[in-house]
């Protein structure tokens, strides 16, 4: 089983809202990732968690705040987003960093 | 620095015809190579991967790819495509040092016509 689940599938939020994206995997993977993907572009890495600790932050604005409560769960907290943050947000996991990454279906975010 | 180049942004092909999607990478060290497919409004699905061993790698849905170290290529092939293969295809290389970073190509849109 190589399933990564993400909720919600779609999200519409205003620039003053606070919302969270959730990602879950039950494969025993110890590395989890957040990516942002704009239309017709490849995914861009945002954050990497390894053994529940943040190991990479790709200079992401502080209005995006990741959290890894346990080895199966990864959240992305959103606050005061801009319309240009509208995108597909993808979560991925792998056995360890450097191993094959498996992606979830994504959350399509629209910021109004 | 590592990079990935997908030489074709769009590849139109008729149903049941063969197809090749080209991918070249640059790296001075050993790499892991991947092909992912993204259907409309979905996430990325792993098609196949090369980690080591045999240079011909078979994946899901009848796809295969060949790792060519001397030409730094990892082209994806399918002998006979279906309408359902219409999607975006991404080639990726794993950054050396096990950081977890995947370096993606810009993607190739495969358009299968009836």
């Amino acid at each position: 089983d190589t399933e990564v689940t993400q909720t919600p599938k779609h999200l519409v939020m205003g620039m003053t809202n606070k919302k969270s994206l959730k990602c879950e995997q039950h494969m025993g993977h110890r590395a989890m990732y957040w990516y942002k993907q704009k239309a017709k572009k490849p995914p861009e890495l945002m954050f990497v968690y390894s053994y529940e600790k943040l190991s990479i932050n790709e200079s992401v604005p502080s209005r995006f705040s990741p959290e890894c409560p346990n080895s199966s769960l990864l959240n992305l907290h959103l606050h005061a987003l801009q319309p240009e943050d509208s995108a597909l947000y993808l979560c991925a996991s792998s056995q360890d960093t450097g191993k094959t990454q498996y992606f979830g279906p994504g959350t399509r975010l629209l910021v109004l | 620095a590592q990079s990935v180049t997908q030489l074709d942004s769009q590849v139109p092909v008729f149903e049941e015809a063969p197809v090749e999607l080209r991918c070249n990478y640059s790296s001075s060290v050993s790499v892991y190579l991947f092909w992912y497919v993204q259907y409309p409004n979905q996430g990325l699905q792993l098609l196949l991967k090369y980690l080591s061993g045999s240079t011909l790698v078979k994946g899901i849905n009848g796809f295969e790819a060949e790792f060519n170290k001397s030409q730094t290529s990892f082209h994806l092939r399918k002998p006979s495509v279906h309408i359902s293969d219409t999607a975006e295809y991404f080639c990726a290389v794993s950054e050396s040092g096990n950081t977890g970073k995947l370096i993606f190509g810009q993607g190739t849109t495969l358009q299968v016509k009836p």
Side-chain angles (χ1 to χ4, degrees):
Chain A
D1 184 14
T2 55
E3 188 178 24
V4 177
T5 59
Q6 289 187 244
T7 54
K9 288 188 176 180
H10 302 275
L11 180 62
V12 180
M13 60 187 291
M15 289 189 285
T16 58
N17 291 158
K18 285 187 182 180
K19 297 285 184 184
S20 297
L21 310 185
K22 179 181 171 181
C23 172
E24 204 160 1
Q25 56 88 15
H26 296 287
M27 297 176 279
H29 288 177
R30 303 313 300 265
M32 296 186 77
Y33 312 78
W34 279 116
Y35 288 85
K36 173 183 178 180
Q37 187 182 26
K38 301 286 267 185
K40 303 293 186 185
K41 295 291 186 182
E44 299 172 21
L45 183 65
M46 299 173 73
F47 303 103
V48 180
Y49 272 83
S50 177
Y51 290 82
E52 301 161 51
K53 293 194 186 312
L54 184 66
S55 61
I56 294 179
N57 177 340
E58 290 286 83
S59 302
V60 179
S62 59
R63 58 185 184 267
F64 295 92
S65 175
E67 179 197 19
C68 189
N70 59 58
S71 60
S72 300
L73 193 54
L74 185 66
N75 298 319
L76 186 63
H77 302 299
L78 314 173
H79 174 52
L81 294 193
Q82 303 297 309
E84 60 264 30
D85 296 321
S86 298
L88 181 67
Y89 288 84
L90 293 164
C91 174
S93 72
S94 63
Q95 193 174 18
D96 202 341
T97 54
K99 303 297 185 186
T100 304
Q101 292 185 28
Y102 296 91
F103 285 79
T107 293
R108 191 161 297 281
L109 174 67
L110 177 62
V111 182
L112 300 177
Chain B
Q2 291 167 297
S3 65
V4 176
T5 302
Q6 291 184 241
L7 296 154
D8 306 293
S9 58
Q10 293 189 13
V11 173
V13 64
F14 286 105
E15 195 173 17
E16 297 183 12
V19 70
E20 178 180 80
L21 306 185
R22 297 180 292 168
C23 173
N24 285 89
Y25 68 93
S26 67
S27 176
S28 58
V29 298
S30 297
V31 294
Y32 296 156
L33 293 156
F34 306 88
W35 275 100
Y36 287 91
V37 60
Q38 187 172 32
Y39 299 103
N41 299 313
Q42 294 189 26
L44 273 67
Q45 182 181 6
L46 180 68
L47 267 180
L48 48 79
K49 60 186 176 184
Y50 173 78
L51 305 180
S52 65
S54 173
T55 57
L56 183 62
V57 180
K58 293 193 182 298
I60 62 171
N61 301 341
F63 284 93
E64 65 180 31
E66 185 152 21
F67 171 60
N68 187 319
K69 188 175 182 180
S70 62
Q71 298 193 2
T72 60
S73 67
F74 190 53
H75 300 333
L76 181 70
R77 301 186 183 100
K78 186 170 182 177
S80 176
V81 295
H82 302 290
I83 296 286
S84 58
D85 293 322
T86 295
E88 191 76 14
Y89 291 78
F90 292 101
C91 180
V93 61
S94 181
E95 185 180 74
S96 58
N98 289 335
T99 61
K101 284 189 179 182
L102 273 181
I103 298 160
F104 285 93
Q106 288 301 303
T108 297
T109 304
L110 177 63
Q111 301 164 320
V112 182
K113 303 176 181 181

